[in-house]
Amino acid sequence: QLQLQESGPGLVKPSETLSLACSVSGGSITINSDYWGWIRQSPGQGLEWLGSTSSSGSAYYNPSVKSRITISVDTSKNQFSLRLSSVTAADTAIYYCARQTYCSPLGCYGFTLAWFDPWGPGTLVTVSS
Amino acid sequence: QSVLTQPPSASGTPGQGVTISCSGSGSNIRSNTVNWYQQLPGTAPKLLIYRNNQRPSGVPDRFSGSRSGTSASLAISGLQSEDEGDYFCAAWDDSLNRWVFGGGTKLTVL
């Protein structure tokens, strides 16, 4: 059973770079039909997709953070990472990593017809001096 | 303001049924498929319905999804106390070039 686990600092200073890693266990990160994504949830707010990448490095980013974000994959460690630069208090949130997959027992459909499953438990990152 | 619109709250008594709506537009729900996520208190979201009406293994058949035009719905029958939590709809938006989520509906089982 595939499991994901986020790790990284819980406190980041304004203007610095937020860095998180997501370890994948119970399966390989190199499956062709899978992307690996980051989604955040501000306290009491809804969900915001930040970006997703394939194991080959094909990345898609939310335009609202595109200038500040990098998502990368380390296949040797079976993990992927998030870097978000120039953070402000508005970046304070629970950060979730998730597999974005578009293949089911009934077929394969493509990136925009995918779904996120499973999710990691999430990690709270606070931006404060 | 979320791109997909959901009612902020819904409620029902044990055993009853409830439906949660998700309203979007031609660039998201009409053009792409809708997924639903359940977030129980203090936990991460969990996939409940994918591709409009498909249930992942392990999700009870009390949960069902549908899509028509620019709207989608999640129906829950036989409400149980453990169904209390937040429910989010999601879809890819072809105009915004990103995944968009509804603001979430908090379900209370009275």
Side-chain angles (χ1 to χ4, degrees), chain A residues 41 46-47 49 62-63 96 100 104 106 109 111-117 119-121, chain B residues 31-33 35 37 39 43-45 47 50-51 54 88 92 96-99 101 103:
Chain A
Q41 185 172 33
L47 298 162
W49 172 74
N62 185 328
Y96 297 101
Q100 177 183 330
S104 78
L106 298 180
Y109 309 101
F111 182 91
T112 63
L113 303 177
W115 52 94
F116 293 99
D117 179 53
W119 298 52
Chain B
S31 304
N32 298 293
T33 52
N35 306 314
Y37 300 92
Q39 186 173 32
T43 70
L47 180 68
Y50 67 100
R51 291 188 55 75
Q54 301 298 303
F88 297 90
W92 177 264
L96 299 174
N97 283 317
R98 62 179 173 92
W99 288 100
F101 291 87

Side-chain angles (χ1 to χ4, degrees), chain A residues 57-126:
Chain A
S58 177
Y60 297 81
Y61 297 130
N62 185 328
S64 70
V65 297
K66 191 171 185 177
S67 63
R68 300 192 291 131
I69 190 173
T70 303
I71 299 176
S72 58
V73 172
D74 186 335
T75 56
S76 66
K77 294 182 179 178
N78 218 41
Q79 70 178 31
F80 61 106
S81 301
L82 167 71
R83 286 175 59 86
L84 187 66
S85 64
S86 305
V87 297
T88 69
D91 294 308
T92 293
I94 297 173
Y95 286 75
Y96 297 101
C97 60
R99 179 186 65 168
Q100 177 183 330
T101 189
Y102 56 81
C103 286
S104 78
L106 298 180
C108 292
Y109 309 101
F111 182 91
T112 63
L113 303 177
W115 52 94
F116 293 99
D117 179 53
W119 298 52
T123 187
L124 175 63
V125 178
T126 302

Side-chain angles (χ1 to χ4, degrees), chain B residues 61-84:
Chain B
D61 59 7
R62 302 188 295 106
F63 296 92
S64 63
S66 64
R67 179 190 66 168
S68 178
T70 59
S71 294
S73 295
L74 173 70
I76 309 172
S77 63
L79 275 174
Q80 300 178 2
S81 58
E82 53 261 42
D83 296 334
E84 278 205 341

Side-chain angles (χ1 to χ4, degrees), chain B residues 36-56:
Chain B
W36 289 90
Y37 300 92
Q38 176 193 57
Q39 186 173 32
L40 300 178
T43 70
K46 168 194 163 188
L47 180 68
L48 199 60
I49 296 288
Y50 67 100
R51 291 188 55 75
N52 304 324
N53 55 20
Q54 301 298 303
R55 274 188 311 276

